[in-house]
Amino acid sequence: MTTLLVIAKAPVPGRVKTRLTPPFTPREAASLAAASLADTLRAVAAAPAARRVLVLDGAPGPWLPPGFDVVPQCAGGLDERLADAFARCAGPALLIGMDTPQVTPELLGVDFAGCDAYFGPAEDGGFWALGLAEPDPALLRGVPMSTPVTGAVQRERLAAAGLRVRELPRLRDVDTAADAHAVAALAPHGRFAARLARCTAGTAR
């Protein structure tokens, strides 16, 4: 079975979701990050997996459900941290971030029979998921992160390596307030949507 990896930052005010401020305060933005992470971890917990690993920058909090191994992120850029996460895996692995609280267990139930990799594009030009049947950190090192071409470059890396790639649905990351409202509408019963409703009510006063 597959190892499911979640790479995340601990939701500390001023360190996460800074593009949500304004309209939200740093504390509200951090609470939205915590809710997004909680929804993501809940989906991972419900998906079939050989192992579930949270690759964390910071300390675990009450949002962490049981059943996860927690390992620290290495130093370096995001490409190095993603590469290091895959380097910890001896078999098939799927990695996602904490910015897609609309993700479902069904999307994470990948099967590598007949393919070597999974790629989940994000609407902002990045990617929300990357799966490798045989994890190779070199496939990620040097990929420019957080740019409009990140996804295209990473996808080309997979193709250039001769990997058979299966596409996952395109999802929207939560980066801005507009993203937050759009994603909450897709998963209206999650913790993220509930927290957004409370934060929005607070900013309206």
Side-chain angles (χ1 to χ4, degrees):
M1 292 181 72
T2 303
T3 294
L4 294 179
L5 302 162
V6 180
I7 189 160
K9 280 185 178 181
V12 177
R15 293 197 67 238
V16 292
K17 294 294 167 215
T18 55
R19 290 174 62 189
L20 292 178
T21 57
F24 304 108
T25 67
R27 185 173 296 278
E28 288 172 332
S31 74
L32 288 167
S36 179
L37 181 53
D39 282 345
T40 300
L41 295 175
R42 180 188 293 179
V44 172
R51 184 183 177 211
R52 298 171 182 86
V53 182
L54 176 62
V55 187
L56 184 63
D57 176 2
W63 37 261
L64 179 65
F68 283 79
D69 297 330
V70 180
V71 299
Q73 291 184 26
C74 72
L78 181 55
D79 63 317
E80 290 288 345
R81 287 178 277 143
L82 296 178
D84 182 70
F86 277 108
R88 298 170 183 266
C89 301
L94 178 73
L95 180 145
I96 66 171
M98 61 182 284
D99 298 331
T100 51
Q102 73 273 40
V103 72
T104 64
E106 291 73 24
L107 285 175
L108 303 177
V110 296
D111 181 359
F112 284 95
C115 74
D116 305 303
Y118 276 86
F119 183 76
E123 289 190 6
D124 63 1
F127 59 93
W128 68 270
L130 180 64
L132 297 171
E134 297 182 7
D136 180 359
L139 290 170
L140 292 108
R141 292 193 178 108
V143 172
M145 295 290 163
S146 303
T147 78
V149 299
T150 294
V153 174
Q154 184 63 72
R155 183 67 173 77
E156 178 54 33
R157 280 283 189 93
L158 303 178
L163 302 184
R164 299 166 297 170
V165 182
R166 190 169 292 159
E167 298 279 339
L168 291 167
R170 185 180 301 271
L171 295 186
R172 184 169 183 167
D173 286 339
V174 174
D175 291 319
T176 66
D179 295 331
H181 287 285
V183 168
L186 295 172
H189 304 298
R191 295 182 186 182
F192 181 79
R195 173 55 60 182
L196 179 64
R198 289 194 288 273
C199 289
T200 301
T203 58
R205 290 197 295 271

